[in-house]
Amino acid sequence: MTMAVPGSERFSSRPIDPATLAGQLPENLPVHTVTQEQVDAVDPLTYEVIRHRLWSVTEEMGEALKRMSGSPIVTDANDFDFAVSDELGQEVQVGLYNTMLVGAVDLAIYWTLQHRATNPGIAEGDMFLTNDPWVGGGLHQNDAMVYQPVFWEGKLFGWTSAIAHQPDLGGVGLGSFSPAAQDVFSESLPTPPIKVVRDGLLQDDVADVWVRRSRVPMMIGLDLRAKVGANTVGRDRLLAVIEQYGADTVKAVMKRMMADAESRLRGKLTTLPDGTWRATGYQDQSHTGDRELHKITVAMTKADDHITFDFTGTDPQSGVVNCTYAGMRGGVMLALLPILAGDIPWSAGGLMRCFDLVSEEGTINNASFPAAVGRGPIGPAWLTGNLVAECLSQMLDQAPTLDAHVQATCCGTWDTAVIAGLDQRGAVPTPFLSIIMDPMAGGYGAQPQADGMDTGGLFCIPLGRVPDVEMTEFLYPVLALWRREEPDSGGPGRRRGGVGASLAITPHGTSFPIGLVLASNGKAVSQNNGLAGGYPGNTGVEWIARGGDVNQLLGAGRMPTELADVGGTAELQPCYGETYVAPGEVFTMFWQGGGGYGDPLVRDPEDVARDVREEKVTASTAEQAYGVVVDASGTVDTAATEARRAALRDGRRARAASDGDRSTVDLTGSRRLDDNLVAVGDQVACRHCATLLGSGAVGELDLVRYEGPVSDAGPQVVDGAGEYVDREVHFRQYCCPGCFTAVSTAVVPVDHVDDVTRTSRVLADARR
């Protein structure tokens, strides 16, 4: 475990109470604020007009950045975000882009007010730049934020901010990803807030220092100016609103926006049962050569109108699979915004008042300096969001009116692949570097009333986009052999998880090998879990075809559709590593779909047949996972299907130690817990067959527990944990002992301790 460096506590990003922060500001930095009476005095029409004007400010900032940026990460994938904040940095309006960043933007402003207000000072015409994840703003060093104070009549009125992932900011590895890093000193330099614009003028010395660190300095310099320009647009638009409606009225609306978001979320929470829900997930490998699993665990306790997320028990920081407090908070917001606040305006400053975070420092999602955090947002922060989403969905699943917000885990992680080399297509060979952004087309998790969206995007980037293949080939010396949806990649369930996809590329336009850096999780242990008995989606995998010659194949007029067509040897790639792809070789990556919802044996056979016809599910998986037999024309064989499903249930029945006598209960007046379970007084019963199951959580109920090979989870889960980690991994399933409906399904380490997902407090609530 990496020990904290003395003095690094100055760079803590822990949020500060606004009243305390306001009291710490120097006298030479007056701030504009309003009283509660002024907030209450704003009429509804004015409130709505100004609220939407502020929303449009962030939209215009987004469009400005995209028009000025030269990075496909921004222009194609929308991996960036914006915010308009009040005088203290509380986020009033955020963009609908990368929502993980919402959990970090305000932290950087708090820190700046605490540590920069006196020296070098905060003045009109200033802008600050930071990429220090211990300060906030971003979740790892590649997230660079430019933000500015906005003044009105000499007083600090608010802040605008623009943040985007940068393709490379230095460090040992290409794209600033160093898979072997053991501390931050092998990665990009974290830069605490520095003044990059003074009196409206970009500081050349600071800009030069900033771009000098990068392997692609022109792109970094252009993105820096694009963020400065986006902030200028934001300031001008905000000042125009103030000029039209008055500073006090606009500020009163900003304060009310946060208060309204807070009150609406608290109101929703009071309608939900109190209780504690738990979830545990794993990251396979933490760095090059590592063969361990690294755990994140959360206990989510909802009491009245407040939630506490307790991450106590999470493993110590290790390798590159760490994030700072800002990353942990960003992971929480990743899940909370769409699941719990999907019908509430995203005035994040108010929403974040409704929860607390409890975490031990020095752990993989609250890492202490100088831990390596390059994988922060797309490793531990993402997994944190998956686990929080699992807990929130289990809580909301008990409220039938809110089932539209319940969702199994979406694409469980981000598969990072950085390519770099020499582009020889022009008159003068030029170096290039890019992150493959095609995994933006991840599969969404299934919901109680709907299948997951196929290649629908990423849960954390509502406005995300998958890059255009032709544009990728235009910008870089690569040829895409295919990019396609992969059948069976969505988790089986009563509602199927959305399918993921795959990509195959080969060097084209260069005689040199292309460097490749890989970093991903979810290969040994699934991170796209199902809900209510639904199965996980596919595990990720990457291969390189060595020793073949795809160019010879293409020259003969044949387009390969499988890696085997290329010839040579298929080389499996690790979770973390650095390698190359030579001309004639092929790199393939398979990224993840979403988890399923409910037992696949109760899925409507006609839905399964449609999936087979549309090539979302293969005929063999339809029979093995869903128990549905489809003939050559894609039509359900009803008799064969009934027999197959009966055989599969008999197989589950054979796992039981004893059938014994099973008590049943009257389900009249019962309360839903999920797709399979109901609360009857202080007991839990199966909602399908009324079998009494006990009074505990899933791991404590009288259920049939089965543990078997990973292959039992289906072909979407590669039974290859031994290729990545040393710990044994298996398929674990709990079924009702009466009707043998799957209640819980997972791929977990053999020594995994089942989470107590429902406490006696939930059952006590049912008695009320």
Side-chain angles (χ1 to χ4, degrees), residues 639-661:
T641 293
E642 291 175 354
R644 177 59 179 163
R645 286 188 162 179
L648 290 173
R649 288 189 184 274
D650 287 343
R652 292 176 178 179
R653 183 176 289 106
R655 304 168 184 170
S658 172
D659 280 339
D661 293 330

Side-chain angles (χ1 to χ4, degrees), residues 261-262 265 336-337 341 344-355:
E262 177 186 5
L265 181 52
L336 185 142
L337 287 174
I344 300 172
W346 286 359
S347 192
L351 297 173
M352 287 190 281
R353 298 169 188 167
C354 300
F355 66 82

Side-chain angles (χ1 to χ4, degrees), residues 32 55 151 204 226 347 366 469 476 488 512 613 717 739 768:
H32 176 277
W55 186 351
F151 285 80
D204 286 343
S347 192
N366 188 7
V469 170
Y476 309 110
D488 297 334
F512 292 91
R613 292 192 298 269
V717 180
C739 61
R768 294 200 296 270

